[in-house]
Amino acid sequence: MTASTWKPQLVALDVDGTLLDPATHRISPAVREAVHRVLAAGSQVVIATGRSQLATLPILQELDLTSGVSLCSNGAVVLDAATREVLSTETFDPGPAVAKLQELFPGVLLAAEELGAGHLVTGRFDDHLLVGPQHPVSPHELGERRVPRLIAHWKGHTPAEMADVLATAQLPACTWTLDHTEAWLTLVPTGVSKGVALEKLAAEMGITREDVLAAGDGSNDVQMLRWAGHSVAMGQAPHDIRAVADETTASVDQDGLALALNRWFR
């Protein structure tokens, strides 16, 4: 596809490592302006993130995004970007996964998302890791209610160590993705992903996959990148993520997303 013959009708954007630079915790002016050029051209912008509903709201505010839909918690929560109201939620019983995670990762910290209210946590997470109040509970209490998203943080360990354990283990009744920058595991209901949620949303909007552009940098973006008509991986993404995308742009600290969007939205 070339800029002269194609313009996406829907642009799906990951947040951390794509829109937002994790080093500065900010969205650069160049990226913000590029997103607004997409909107000015009449295309839809869909935020697709592993973040919770509460953690997505500051991103919508920083982008001044007041239209469209956002996919939170890897697609388990669908949010109206204009009203900030939750449109739909998919949940699962975290109890079996909680027990297995404690067995596999001694000392693991767990956090279950409470929509609009923060997280139930088995231990204190650093403030920058979770947005909203943290409500301490026992692992048993945490596993008693259905949730859209469960986080497992193996503090003091690396993603590679976590991946080694997961290579020979199974987590029950969920879909999971592992962060490539730290030992951070995100669990959502079985069959839920950014890709599945984006496909459903595009169909509701009457937009074909050929007219969808997606950009991301993590394992939770893989299905979305594979499904979209054209996909862009960020320059700092691991090799296996870049391999599934149609192209690779510059890294997030070099405004790679803006450079990519500028090809179609000048």
Side-chain angles (χ1 to χ4, degrees), residues 3 7 30-38 213 249 255-266:
K7 189 182 295 291
V31 168
R32 190 181 303 109
E33 290 164 8
V35 170
H36 279 272
R37 281 196 294 276
V38 175
L213 170 71
T249 186
D255 291 334
L257 179 60
L259 294 174
L261 292 179
N262 287 348
R263 290 178 55 197
W264 297 284
F265 304 95
R266 297 184 183 279

Side-chain angles (χ1 to χ4, degrees), residues 96-108 110 154 165 169-170:
V98 167
K100 190 65 176 179
L101 289 166
Q102 288 185 294
E103 173 191 330
L104 295 174
F105 308 109
V108 69
L110 302 173
W154 206 18
V165 175
Q170 289 189 336

Side-chain angles (χ1 to χ4, degrees), residues 35-163:
V35 170
H36 279 272
R37 281 196 294 276
V38 175
L39 294 169
S43 297
Q44 296 284 337
V45 171
V46 173
I47 302 302
T49 178
R51 287 179 168 226
S52 68
Q53 172 211 6
L54 283 181
T56 304
L57 295 178
I59 301 303
L60 300 181
Q61 182 69 29
E62 188 169 354
L63 284 173
D64 192 24
L65 194 58
T66 57
S67 65
V69 171
S70 296
L71 307 175
C72 313
S73 300
N74 284 345
V77 177
V78 180
L79 183 67
D80 187 316
T83 65
R84 309 309 204 237
E85 295 179 355
V86 173
L87 299 176
S88 66
T89 310
E90 295 196 50
T91 62
F92 72 109
D93 173 9
V98 167
K100 190 65 176 179
L101 289 166
Q102 288 185 294
E103 173 191 330
L104 295 174
F105 308 109
V108 69
L109 291 177
L110 302 173
E113 180 180 357
E114 291 189 293
L115 277 179
H119 291 84
L120 301 176
V121 297
T122 59
R124 183 73 190 181
F125 281 68
D126 292 344
D127 289 339
H128 71 281
L129 294 176
L130 294 178
V131 173
Q134 298 184 36
H135 308 289
V137 295
S138 69
H140 175 73
E141 291 173 309
L142 184 143
E144 284 187 319
R145 65 181 75 182
R146 296 181 67 86
V147 298
R149 186 188 75 152
L150 179 68
I151 295 298
H153 181 37
W154 206 18
K155 198 171 183 178
H157 295 267
T158 66
E161 290 176 300
M162 211 169 198

